[in-house]
Amino acid sequence: MSFAQAIVENVLKLAEEKGAKKVSKVLVEMGELLLINPEQLEFCFQVASSGTIAEGAVLELEFIKPHIECLLCGKRYDEPIAICECGGIIKVEGGKDMVIRKIEMEV
Amino acid sequence: MHRIEVDAEIDVLEANRRLAAENREFLKKHGITAINIMGATGSGKTLLIEKTADALGDKVRMGAILGDVVGKADYERVARHGVKAEMINTGKECHLDAHLIHHAIEKFNDVDLLLMENVGNLICPVDFDLGEDYRVVMVSVTEGDDVIEKHPEIFRLADVIIINKVALAEAVEANVDKMVEDARKLNAKAKIIKMDLKKDVGFDEWLEWLQEVMSKQNGR
């Protein structure tokens, strides 16, 4: 819910600056490691935006994969683990950001 | 009225990061070691704080922030042990954040050790840096021995992983070795403590770790 609230607050702030009457779509890039359930976030977004000019806006989510790589052999993984098959330490980068990329609004 | 598309580039989590950095600066300035204790409801977080207060209360100046959705039951439990305590009710939120801590820590400028009990779950607290020095995750064998593999992210980022209530493992058919192995697979560096607070198992190991990190912090 706090993620949804933060999105709505930021969207409304920018929409106000642009003199928008209505927000119709919001594109958010989300790190996979935030482990956000998209349906839950969409539901919370609808709740948090109700009664505002962003009510009914479409929330589009784009998930960004983290970069997970063994420091020793360079093997890449999809899921974060600590130790590679070769015994090397795994480095995990990214996958925890949440960035509002685009907002579609009516002015 | 016409439709426009605006490039926003707004980092939603930036505000929390900025406040966490301010918290970290405050803690450093006052020589406070701050520990974020995370874990499910009933894993033993409050009892760990109570027992730590009894063990260290007359040696170090300790403070505790108790995060809960509603009520002050945990606050009352901890305050009875003579440590400075503060309750944070988060309402509908399932985690503490840097903003909530920002308001609370000012009252703790005279402590050496600050234990911050997060709201009881293994999901939401992961993404909110409070400005703490160390992250501790506490689970109990009664949550099922698959609890670690089901919540990888919180264990991956922990400094200490405590597996509590090990004396009950047989009764609830939990495999403690499997839990340790799961934790190790996710986190090569964390200290793993097998504990049973009611039987005083592993508690000394916890105190040793605390004293070790506190002396390290004092020298920073």
Side-chain angles (χ1 to χ4, degrees):
Chain A
M1 190 64 193
S2 54
F3 282 143
Q5 263 165 347
I7 293 171
V8 171
E9 275 167 26
N10 281 296
V11 165
L12 291 178
K13 201 170 147 218
L14 188 64
E16 207 173 285
E17 280 170 24
K18 301 279 177 193
K21 305 273 186 300
K22 186 142 187 57
V23 173
S24 44
K25 201 199 284 182
V26 179
L27 172 68
V28 178
E29 245 178 46
M30 188 125 42
E32 264 187 10
L33 290 181
L34 287 170
L35 303 176
I36 293 277
N37 175 333
E39 279 171 23
Q40 227 170 12
L41 184 69
E42 273 159 33
F43 175 74
C44 291
F45 176 79
Q46 300 309 336
V47 173
S49 63
S50 73
T52 74
I53 58 165
E55 182 172 332
V58 176
L59 179 66
E60 262 186 22
L61 302 176
E62 204 177 301
F63 284 91
I64 307 295
K65 285 199 169 297
H67 184 85
I68 306 169
E69 189 179 332
C70 172
L71 290 174
L72 199 61
C73 74
K75 182 172 176 176
R76 295 223 187 148
Y77 288 85
D78 288 333
E79 300 282 328
I81 51 168
I83 307 283
C84 178
E85 287 161 6
C86 78
I89 301 276
I90 300 276
K91 190 175 169 192
V92 180
E93 270 179 350
K96 289 191 82 76
D97 293 317
M98 185 184 275
V99 180
I100 304 171
R101 287 280 179 224
K102 285 186 196 308
I103 304 172
E104 199 179 271
M105 52 184 94
E106 285 168 25
V107 292
Chain B
M1 210 155 60
H2 59 282
R3 190 167 283 197
I4 59 165
E5 194 181 73
V6 179
D7 285 329
E9 303 300 321
I10 301 168
D11 186 339
V12 178
L13 302 177
E14 170 56 26
N16 190 74
R17 270 198 291 269
R18 187 171 40 78
L19 285 171
E22 282 179 27
N23 291 348
R24 196 162 275 124
E25 197 52 42
F26 176 91
L27 295 163
K28 193 178 165 188
K29 186 174 140 202
H30 295 280
I32 304 163
T33 303
I35 298 174
N36 179 4
I37 304 175
M38 303 174 285
T41 304
S43 57
K45 301 186 295 299
T46 313
L47 186 59
L48 180 71
I49 294 172
E50 287 179 276
K51 288 190 70 114
T52 306
D54 286 347
L56 298 180
D58 52 354
K59 292 185 209 120
V60 296
R61 294 173 299 172
M62 185 183 135
I65 292 175
L66 294 312
D68 255 322
V69 176
V70 290
K72 40 181 207 169
D74 286 354
Y75 163 78
E76 282 164 359
R77 275 176 64 181
V78 170
R80 272 204 296 268
H81 295 263
V83 297
K84 188 187 263 192
E86 182 79 15
M87 185 82 229
I88 296 183
N89 279 143
T90 55
K92 279 187 250 170
E93 293 300 339
C94 46
H95 56 85
L96 291 175
D97 62 29
H99 180 246
L100 292 167
I101 294 297
H102 204 263
H103 289 297
I105 51 173
E106 282 167 14
K107 294 171 188 151
F108 292 93
N109 59 4
D110 56 352
V111 303
D112 307 306
L113 174 66
L114 177 59
L115 301 180
M116 306 185 283
E117 181 184 331
N118 220 311
V119 181
N121 75 91
L122 293 166
I123 306 152
C124 314
V126 184
D127 298 314
F128 293 86
D129 182 4
L130 307 178
E132 73 273 24
D133 298 299
Y134 298 96
R135 288 183 157 208
V136 174
V137 186
M138 193 165 193
V139 281
S140 57
V141 299
T142 53
E143 292 161 50
D145 59 14
D146 55 357
V147 65
I148 294 175
E149 58 176 321
K150 277 157 71 180
H151 300 87
E153 200 53 15
I154 200 163
F155 294 98
R156 191 171 72 78
L157 300 171
D159 297 294
V160 178
I161 297 168
I162 298 175
I163 300 168
N164 192 26
K165 306 186 191 177
V166 290
L168 297 176
E170 209 182 314
V172 296
E173 294 179 20
N175 182 343
V176 178
D177 291 340
K178 175 199 179 318
M179 295 175 82
V180 172
E181 206 177 299
D182 288 346
R184 198 44 88 208
K185 259 187 233 160
L186 290 162
N187 192 326
K189 285 182 280 187
K191 181 175 183 61
I192 300 174
I193 305 177
K194 291 189 247 182
M195 192 179 268
D196 197 304
L197 280 175
K198 299 215 167 153
K199 310 265 182 211
D200 273 334
V201 175
F203 186 65
D204 287 347
E205 218 178 316
W206 161 250
L207 288 182
E208 274 164 31
W209 177 80
L210 264 185
Q211 276 155 342
E212 190 188 305
V213 294
M214 282 184 70
S215 56
K216 204 190 290 174
Q217 295 288 108
N218 288 338
R220 70 189 168 181

